[in-house]
Amino acid sequence: MFGIIPLILIILPLLFQLFFGTKAIYRNITLEFGTVCLISIISQIILTIIAYSVASYNFNKYFEEHPNTTRCGMGFLGLFGLAVICFIIILLVMTIQYFVKRYSEKNQIK
């Protein structure tokens, strides 16, 4: 009913952090690790708002086509729950990547 686009929008910052955070640790890109983390957090917030807007549009469009069906907003609660879980996972991934970066820098000095 809601489509898959809101789910993809919520998961994109996590994928960005995993891919570009790992690249930033090993210095294969011009972005620093802190910049990648900041971009991930900000994009998680912005894309969650956009995902909610898209889901709301799809929800209203569906009920315009099917006016005699019962409305239920539990899908929005699930969308919000997924956004919170993804945000927590992003913070966990950032923490793990930070310690990996610190460990690799520590071993390079020796």
Side-chain angles (χ1 to χ4, degrees):
M1 174 170 73
F2 283 70
I4 197 162
I5 302 240
L7 303 175
I8 292 172
L9 287 174
I10 289 177
I11 294 175
L12 276 177
L14 176 61
L15 297 176
F16 177 82
Q17 178 65 38
L18 286 170
F19 184 73
F20 286 103
T22 304
K23 285 196 168 274
I25 289 172
Y26 298 111
R27 293 174 176 46
N28 291 337
I29 59 173
T30 58
L31 290 174
E32 294 181 9
F33 180 70
T35 307
V36 172
C37 291
L38 187 65
I39 290 171
S40 292
I41 290 174
I42 291 172
S43 65
Q44 179 68 38
I45 294 168
I46 292 171
L47 289 179
T48 298
I49 293 169
I50 293 172
Y52 177 78
S53 299
V54 169
S56 177
Y57 174 77
N58 290 343
F59 191 69
N60 290 333
K61 193 73 164 171
Y62 176 80
F63 284 111
E64 285 176 5
E65 294 172 2
H66 304 91
N68 294 331
T69 58
T70 305
R71 291 182 176 221
C72 177
M74 289 301 286
F76 291 112
L77 183 62
L79 195 65
F80 179 72
L82 179 65
V84 169
I85 289 171
C86 281
F87 188 74
I88 291 170
I89 292 172
I90 285 175
L91 292 178
L92 182 65
V93 167
M94 284 180 195
T95 305
I96 292 170
Q97 287 178 340
Y98 171 74
F99 285 118
V100 167
K101 180 182 180 210
R102 196 170 89 178
Y103 179 75
S104 67
E105 287 175 354
K106 194 176 192 181
N107 285 341
Q108 284 179 351
I109 294 173
K110 291 181 179 180

